[in-house]
Structure formats: C-alpha cells, structure tokens
Amino acid sequence: MAQLDTREKLAILADAAKYDASCASSGTAKRNSADGKGIGSTEGMGICHAYAPDGRCISLLKILLTNSCIFDCHYCINRKSSNVRRARFTATEVVNLTLSFYRRNYIEGLFLSSGIIGSSNYTMEQMVEVARSLREDHHFRGYIHLKTIPDADPELVHQAGLYADRISINVELPTVGGLKRLAPEKDAARIEGAMAANTDAIVDNKDAVKRYKSAPRFAPAGQSTQMIVGADAATDGDIVRRASSLYDRFALRRVYYSAFSPIPDASDVLPLQRPPLMREHRLYQSDWLMRFYEFSAQEVVAAADDATGMLPLDIDPKLAWALKFRDRFPVDVNRAPREMLLRIPGLGVKAVNGILATRRWRKLRLEDVARLTVSIARLRPFIVAEDWRPVVLSDQADLKPLVAPKKEQLELFAA
C-alpha cells in the first residue's frame, strides 16, 4: 500500500466511493472568497455531480480515506474478507488533492467517507483532521460532506459537524433483522443514537445562531442517510415505512436508496442478482411523494401490491395510488383542497400552486390546466374542470392502458 503513488490511490479510492449514494450539496450556508480571503465557494457553478435546490450543478471530489476495513459486512466490497486492492490516503494527501482539484476548477467541494482502520475513533479523527485543516489551515470555504462513524466518540462526531456542511450516517439496511444478518458488527441502536445526537446538536445550533451571531454553525446542510435496497428480504413497504420514521424522528434532509450490486467473492447469504434499477427509481419517487406531495407513508404503502408489498415497476407510485383508489376521483380542480390536487397523477407542485392562484380569479377550463402540465391526456380521467367531466372515462373498468406511459423500442443506431 505504501508503494502506491497519489494517482494510483485516487483511482482505487474514487472507484470504491461510487457505492455511496448519499452525496448532495443542497441546503448549506452561502460562503465565498470574493473578499480576497480564503479559498473556495458554495455558490458557483460546478468527480461527482450533485444538484442544489435551484438547479445549480455542484461538483464534488468523492473519495474514501481508505478502502481497508476491520468490519466484515456481507454486502460491502471493502469488507475485511474481500479480495480487493487496498489503498489509503493520509489526511494531508486528501487536503492537498482537494485544494489542487479546486484550483483547477474541477470541483467545488469534498465528499469524504472511509472504511474503518485501527478503530472507529482513529478513523473519525483522521476524517475530522481533513476538514479541520481545510477550514482552519487553508481557509477553504467550499462544501464539505463527511460520512461519520456511529461507533466513534460523540465528541469526534460533534467536531465533524462543526467543520462540515453536511454529515451523514448510514442506517445500511431497512430492517434491524437484515442488519443483524448481513452486518453483525453494526448495531442499529448505536446508529440511531448517533443520528439522534446529531439532530439535537443541529436544533440547538439553530437556536444559538439566532441568539448569537458569532455562534459556530453545526452541519448547516443537515444530515442524511442511505439504505441498501435488494440485499435483504425487505419489501418496498418496509423501506417506505422505515424512511418515513427516519424523517419524522431525526429531521433528515434526505434518505438515499442504493440498489444492491453483486460484488466479487460474494457471501452465500447475498442474492445472486441485483434488483431492477427501476425499483430504486420508484423508491425515490415515493420519497418525493412524502417530502413534497404531502403523502403519508401509509398512503404510499397502499400503492404497493397487497400480496408482495412491492411498488409496481411499470407505473409511478402516484399513478398506482390513483388507480387503486378510483373512488377518490375525479377531482374538481376549481374546488378541491390542495391535498387532493397534489394526488392527481400528472400534476406537480408548481402546477397545483398555479391552479390555486388562478382559481381565485376565475374558473379553470381544461385548456387552462393543459398549460400547467406536460400532458393533459393523462389528467383527463382524474379531473373535473369548468368545461370537462370525464363521464365515459370514469366508468371505464381499466384505466391503466390509457394513462400508463407507452413502452417504446429504442433504436440502437438512432441519430
């Protein structure tokens, strides 16, 4: 390992970091070096790409401090028993890489995770040292996301939050049973305890910042987590309920879903095939419904198949819910409350806001709704407008063929 140069280490540890999906740069405090002091910014237009809420693309250097690990989690390619090439950065090397990439305009921030070497405390100390050196020694004002270690001393995790914009702790798997089976060295109670401590620190810091302008910020972009999908027997219903619980209890900014990917020399307890990537996509859509469309976890779970607990892969969860609860439709766009408008397939949050604003002054016709959405054909069976009532469509036994996205054969050599 000592014989590897920086370029070789970067190739190994950047590739090893690709399995970590919880990488985003939204929600942090605005900082820049326009005053001539320090280096970096969280405001510019962007090697990993994340997107801020206003659509800006932020490029992050996404690496592991090391892919060596003392744990032997069955699903992890970097587990102790895995036959992979190992590498390790020093804290100074990560700092120099980050600054070098930033000066070349390749990145605007750093996402740093790590396998566990020596002990949880030692590994966490090294990661905190990277963030401390960037902030204090080099006055780096760009974005920093640290993947913290729940087994580490709480004071070390707290220090990470003082230097990083966002911190995250992976819950790993959706169920406690799955975690015990596939990662016996990790403890769900310790993971949640560390998340709870971070939540308390974030809340306390927000209060302190309001009272004292000089109060140091603690993880201004909040905390996030990640779940592996398809490595255990958890259903989509289990995953949705778990995510909802995490949002409610720990005020997370995001829950990320990562489809299990078969790894070399895999354990016999792992599935032989990866789950469909569309399953991961449907879970992100269900997450969006809970975060922005005011769906409860129970409503999203209701869209899943009653027998299997899995969301349909051929249609999105919102449409699946609407087709399952036909008695709730059609919805009068001129009278319905916001929560029902948000449940109409094909209507986004912006379109709903547009409807609510417009109907204060006049009745909406079908053509008015059409201007607010991409395809009015998909909405027709589910809405009532001033000049439209879907009498025939409402009585049709099976609406799915009419409203489901059409399957198209892709052309291999299309221009």
Side-chain angles (χ1 to χ4, degrees), residues 70-89:
I70 61 175
F71 286 174
D72 204 25
C73 305
H74 290 283
Y75 51 81
C76 182
I77 195 171
N78 300 317
R79 69 194 186 281
K80 179 173 60 177
S81 60
S82 180
N83 185 25
V84 297
R85 195 180 185 194
R86 306 290 183 173
R88 174 183 171 182
F89 280 127

Side-chain angles (χ1 to χ4, degrees), residues 25 28-35 37-46 56-60 98-99 102-103 105 107-110 135 138-144 165:
S25 58
T28 188
K30 291 185 177 182
R31 295 188 303 272
N32 60 58
S33 51
D35 57 1
K37 299 178 182 179
I39 182 172
S41 167
T42 59
E43 302 174 10
M45 294 289 295
R56 292 179 296 111
C57 177
I58 309 294
S59 298
L60 304 176
T98 304
L99 296 174
Y102 179 82
R103 291 187 177 108
N105 200 30
I107 63 166
E108 289 183 295
L110 170 69
R135 295 293 195 219
H138 301 279
H139 306 288
F140 182 71
R141 300 185 180 184
Y143 184 86
I144 298 178
D165 294 276

Side-chain angles (χ1 to χ4, degrees), residues 334-393:
N334 288 301
R335 297 182 178 181
R338 176 185 174 83
E339 65 177 78
M340 276 310 300
L341 293 176
L342 287 170
R343 282 155 177 72
I344 299 174
L347 276 188
V349 175
K350 289 184 178 179
V352 169
N353 291 339
I355 288 173
L356 293 173
T358 303
R359 74 184 193 184
R360 294 173 59 191
W361 309 105
R362 62 185 179 86
K363 298 286 187 180
L364 281 89
R365 301 169 64 87
L366 191 64
E367 62 182 17
D368 298 321
V369 180
R371 295 191 187 99
L372 298 171
T373 186
V374 176
S375 174
I376 191 62
R378 188 179 179 187
L379 273 72
R380 283 175 178 168
F382 301 104
I383 64 171
V384 171
E386 181 69 7
D387 62 341
W388 169 257
R389 183 173 291 274
V391 178
V392 177
L393 292 175

Side-chain angles (χ1 to χ4, degrees), residues 200-255:
D200 291 342
I202 291 170
V203 172
D204 290 344
N205 181 252
K206 287 182 178 178
D207 182 63
V209 169
K210 290 179 181 178
R211 293 170 179 267
Y212 312 104
K213 292 183 179 180
S214 60
R217 290 184 173 273
F218 183 91
Q223 69 170 325
S224 59
T225 193
Q226 175 178 325
M227 282 190 279
I228 299 172
V229 176
D232 62 357
T235 66
D236 289 345
D238 295 331
I239 295 171
V240 168
R241 281 188 285 264
R242 174 70 163 149
S244 176
S245 173
L246 292 173
Y247 278 127
D248 291 342
R249 294 162 59 202
F250 305 118
L252 300 182
R253 285 295 181 91
R254 287 290 301 274
V255 174

Side-chain angles (χ1 to χ4, degrees), residues 280-295:
E280 179 186 296
H281 180 61
R282 296 305 183 205
L283 286 169
Y284 274 113
Q285 288 179 318
S286 69
D287 193 87
W288 208 256
L289 292 181
M290 292 189 292
R291 293 169 61 213
F292 298 108
Y293 286 78
E294 300 177 13
F295 274 68

